[in-house]
Amino acid sequence: MVGMVDTTKPQVTEDACLYCRVSKADKRQKRSVPQQEAEGRAVARHNDWHLPDSAVFVETKAISASRFTNAPRPKYDETIAYLKTNRPKVLILWEVSRYNRKLGGGVTLLDLCRDLGIKIHVVSLHRTFDPSVQHEREALVHEFLAAERESEQISLRTKRDAFHSAEAGKPNGLTPYGYVREYSSTRELLRQVPKPEQSEVVTEAYERFRMSENLSSIVKEFNSRQIPSPNGKAWTIVKLRKILTNPAYMGKRSHRGTLYKAVWPAIVTEEVWQDCNDKLTNPARRTNHQGTKARHLLTSLMPCSVCGGQSKAAINNGYRVYMCRDKHCASVPIEEANAYVEAQIRARLITVSLNPDSENSADREKALGQAATIQTRLDEIEEALADPNASAVAILTKTYDRLTKERDELLSQATNVRKSPIVGYLSSNPEKWDDLTLSQKREFIASGTLVDYIELVPHGKSFTRKPIEERVEIHWTETRLSADPHA
């Protein structure tokens, strides 16, 4: 019938869309989003806006909307897609900061809503804005600008508080394994002190690694003793490495690449911590094979006198030999070479005086300082490259690679001027060579303190085999030694 209204379909005046987001700064996160959604739905009912459940987008994870993160916000993207596809009459927001704390992002939303004819209702302002109307658009731009300004102020306050906390050496973050925190009745942090049963494990790990024990063997032994790791599960190389590189154990607080004296007591000395980190940060260290143990004393420590290639262990005519790796210029039986080299080192250790004080502290500090400066620049480049809109990516990447190489060379220099703990041990105990492990003996030979280098020499074409001292030539580092142990 003409003039009759079809009552079989619901009558709606306007369709709406609702976006809610929990704020990282909201101390009431568990209630924040439900409140936003409840009030948004109430506004829709009050204004007779039809708000289907499919048009309600709730961001439940505390993901920042500021420029200080590029973390994705799934519901944010879904909201934009919904606006473009369904073109509702109004978008409901609790406040503009819940949608975006970047002026650019806010302006993009305004442009989209203006072009699609979508109004924006801000619940906290009790007002509906029309982006196509200039003065209302300007009012929303002002709100987005205020949200961005607040975000910047929050960031500055957070950074300032973090810096002052670090400068004062106060604990932060999770309690490090090996320590326990004590609190007052009002939950105020009083102090952080070593936890005996764990701090003993930390000390043992540092000392064993410092004396050249392999990471994997320490992990294996800890697990065999059923020592709980920091998370209560089995130990892994990654977990052990985190402990060995954490400056908290030498009583230092780290903040943005700078170390500050901490208020808590150290578990290991700075020298022990630095010795371990020199090993772990040395660019020459093959971290991808850190669990592999050397099986022979002179592998890769005895270059060929003809081609300069390093030696390898091999089987030659049924005999185990060290052989020139590249061109097979020379070979020598492994057991014979090992026995000769060890006998020579053993005898020389008790007739010369090692100089364990060859460390040049000034050069080391200079190299470490330069490396720290470069690392700061690398951090800045990493931050710039993380921006999807970064320009000159190719130039930044090339600069990053160059600076990384320079930093590694400086760290290597700093490591090389620091004495090996094995050198210090043998300088006081020259008769203890046979007590060292294979890896410790290899480290001492490679340190250049006593042995400059060892050469593998071809035995010639004669049927008469040359004596071992002519096939394995040891070049001693005389400049670091004294013929008189008391000189």
Side-chain angles (χ1 to χ4, degrees), residues 63-106:
I63 304 172
S64 174
S66 73
R67 70 177 179 87
F68 300 104
T69 181
N70 291 318
R73 288 189 285 154
K75 296 302 178 180
Y76 173 92
D77 296 332
E78 291 178 23
T79 302
I80 295 296
Y82 184 88
L83 294 177
K84 293 179 179 179
T85 303
N86 297 277
R87 297 195 176 193
K89 298 299 182 182
V90 62
L91 168 64
I92 304 173
L93 305 173
W94 166 251
E95 60 183 21
V96 295
S97 65
R98 297 295 166 132
Y99 181 81
N100 211 311
R101 284 185 177 273
K102 293 181 284 190
L103 178 59

Side-chain angles (χ1 to χ4, degrees), residues 322-394:
Y322 290 119
M323 178 181 290
C324 168
R325 176 180 293 150
D326 297 332
K327 298 182 179 181
H328 301 172
C329 306
S331 66
V332 65
I334 287 179
E335 298 301 329
E336 190 176 350
N338 288 352
Y340 171 69
V341 170
E342 289 208 63
Q344 293 297 307
I345 291 177
R346 191 182 298 112
R348 202 167 188 84
L349 279 172
I350 61 176
T351 59
V352 299
S353 176
L354 299 179
N355 182 6
D357 300 320
S358 60
E359 177 183 359
N360 190 325
S361 299
D363 288 348
R364 174 180 171 78
E365 292 303 319
K366 180 180 179 181
L368 289 176
Q370 292 173 339
T373 300
I374 292 178
Q375 185 60 57
T376 301
R377 176 58 180 147
L378 287 172
D379 293 341
E380 294 173 352
I381 295 177
E382 282 185 358
E383 186 175 343
L385 289 173
D387 185 352
N389 299 317
S391 59
V393 172

Side-chain angles (χ1 to χ4, degrees), residues 7-191:
T7 59
T8 60
K9 296 182 180 180
Q11 301 300 302
V12 297
T13 54
E14 290 185 281
D15 291 321
C17 172
L18 172 64
Y19 176 79
C20 308
R21 180 182 70 85
V22 63
S23 171
K24 293 179 70 175
D26 196 333
K27 295 182 180 179
R28 299 177 302 166
Q29 289 181 4
K30 294 182 180 179
R31 297 176 56 197
S32 175
V33 169
Q35 283 183 343
Q36 291 178 51
E37 182 178 352
E39 295 198 30
R41 288 183 180 275
V43 167
R45 289 193 300 269
H46 177 76
N47 289 280
D48 291 328
W49 295 332
H50 176 55
L51 179 62
D53 290 340
S54 60
V56 177
F57 301 94
V58 180
E59 207 85 70
T60 55
K61 290 186 177 180
I63 304 172
S64 174
S66 73
R67 70 177 179 87
F68 300 104
T69 181
N70 291 318
R73 288 189 285 154
K75 296 302 178 180
Y76 173 92
D77 296 332
E78 291 178 23
T79 302
I80 295 296
Y82 184 88
L83 294 177
K84 293 179 179 179
T85 303
N86 297 277
R87 297 195 176 193
K89 298 299 182 182
V90 62
L91 168 64
I92 304 173
L93 305 173
W94 166 251
E95 60 183 21
V96 295
S97 65
R98 297 295 166 132
Y99 181 81
N100 211 311
R101 284 185 177 273
K102 293 181 284 190
L103 178 59
V107 172
T108 299
L109 174 68
L110 295 182
D111 290 343
L112 176 66
C113 290
R114 178 191 59 193
D115 296 342
L116 297 178
I118 301 173
K119 296 179 181 179
I120 299 176
H121 181 86
V122 182
V123 176
S124 61
L125 299 177
H126 307 287
R127 180 177 173 183
T128 302
F129 297 85
D130 186 348
S132 64
V133 178
Q134 186 60 31
H135 73 273
E136 295 190 15
R137 175 186 173 87
E138 290 176 356
L140 277 174
V141 167
H142 177 77
E143 291 296 325
F144 278 114
L145 184 61
E148 183 181 72
R149 183 187 303 113
E150 181 183 9
S151 173
E152 296 287 337
Q153 291 173 342
I154 291 174
S155 175
L156 288 174
R157 285 196 299 269
T158 301
K159 290 179 180 178
R160 184 171 60 247
D161 292 345
F163 169 74
H164 289 313
S165 174
E167 193 176 37
K170 296 179 180 179
N172 73 308
L174 299 176
T175 307
Y177 175 85
Y179 286 98
V180 63
R181 289 176 182 170
E182 299 176 357
Y183 295 87
S184 67
S185 57
T186 58
R187 296 302 298 167
E188 179 185 359
L189 178 62
L190 298 177
R191 63 186 65 87

Side-chain angles (χ1 to χ4, degrees), residues 432-456:
K432 297 290 189 179
W433 170 260
D434 291 328
D435 293 343
L436 300 182
T437 64
L438 176 62
S439 61
Q440 289 172 338
K441 290 177 179 178
R442 285 175 54 82
E443 179 178 323
F444 177 75
I445 293 173
S447 72
T449 306
L450 181 68
V451 179
D452 195 6
Y453 63 98
I454 303 172
E455 272 190 315
L456 177 60

Side-chain angles (χ1 to χ4, degrees), residues 178 212 365 415 429 468:
S212 301
E365 292 303 319
T415 300
N429 307 275
I468 188 65

Side-chain angles (χ1 to χ4, degrees), residues 235-472:
W235 284 88
T236 64
I237 288 178
V238 172
K239 293 175 185 176
L240 181 58
R241 190 184 184 91
K242 285 183 178 179
I243 287 178
L244 294 175
T245 56
N246 190 345
Y249 296 110
M250 64 168 172
K252 295 292 180 70
R253 164 72 191 277
S254 176
H255 178 66
R256 298 182 68 85
T258 301
L259 296 180
Y260 300 91
K261 182 175 176 55
V263 296
W264 61 83
I267 291 178
V268 299
T269 66
E270 186 170 347
E271 180 182 7
V272 169
W273 186 90
Q274 194 63 65
D275 283 340
C276 292
N277 277 262
D278 281 345
K279 293 176 181 290
L280 291 169
T281 60
N282 188 343
R285 179 179 171 83
R286 299 191 303 165
T287 54
N288 56 323
H289 296 297
Q290 59 188 355
T292 303
K293 293 183 179 180
R295 297 176 59 188
H296 303 286
L297 180 67
L298 302 176
T299 303
S300 299
L301 295 178
M302 184 167 55
C304 172
S305 64
V306 178
C307 69
Q310 278 295 352
S311 58
K312 68 175 182 179
I315 302 295
N316 186 23
N317 294 327
Y319 293 95
R320 294 192 308 156
V321 299
Y322 290 119
M323 178 181 290
C324 168
R325 176 180 293 150
D326 297 332
K327 298 182 179 181
H328 301 172
C329 306
S331 66
V332 65
I334 287 179
E335 298 301 329
E336 190 176 350
N338 288 352
Y340 171 69
V341 170
E342 289 208 63
Q344 293 297 307
I345 291 177
R346 191 182 298 112
R348 202 167 188 84
L349 279 172
I350 61 176
T351 59
V352 299
S353 176
L354 299 179
N355 182 6
D357 300 320
S358 60
E359 177 183 359
N360 190 325
S361 299
D363 288 348
R364 174 180 171 78
E365 292 303 319
K366 180 180 179 181
L368 289 176
Q370 292 173 339
T373 300
I374 292 178
Q375 185 60 57
T376 301
R377 176 58 180 147
L378 287 172
D379 293 341
E380 294 173 352
I381 295 177
E382 282 185 358
E383 186 175 343
L385 289 173
D387 185 352
N389 299 317
S391 59
V393 172
I395 296 176
L396 286 173
T397 302
K398 186 175 181 180
T399 302
Y400 185 89
D401 292 341
R402 176 178 59 79
L403 290 176
T404 299
K405 183 178 180 180
E406 291 180 12
R407 179 205 60 191
D408 289 348
E409 289 176 351
L410 288 165
L411 289 175
S412 181
Q413 291 175 23
T415 300
N416 291 337
V417 299
R418 188 178 184 86
K419 70 178 185 294
S420 164
I422 304 300
V423 176
Y425 174 76
L426 287 176
S427 67
S428 302
N429 307 275
E431 74 286 356
K432 297 290 189 179
W433 170 260
D434 291 328
D435 293 343
L436 300 182
T437 64
L438 176 62
S439 61
Q440 289 172 338
K441 290 177 179 178
R442 285 175 54 82
E443 179 178 323
F444 177 75
I445 293 173
S447 72
T449 306
L450 181 68
V451 179
D452 195 6
Y453 63 98
I454 303 172
E455 272 190 315
L456 177 60
V457 182
H459 56 73
K461 298 180 180 181
S462 171
F463 288 103
T464 303
R465 175 176 292 183
K466 289 183 178 181
I468 188 65
E469 59 267 22
E470 294 183 21
R471 303 175 67 186
V472 176

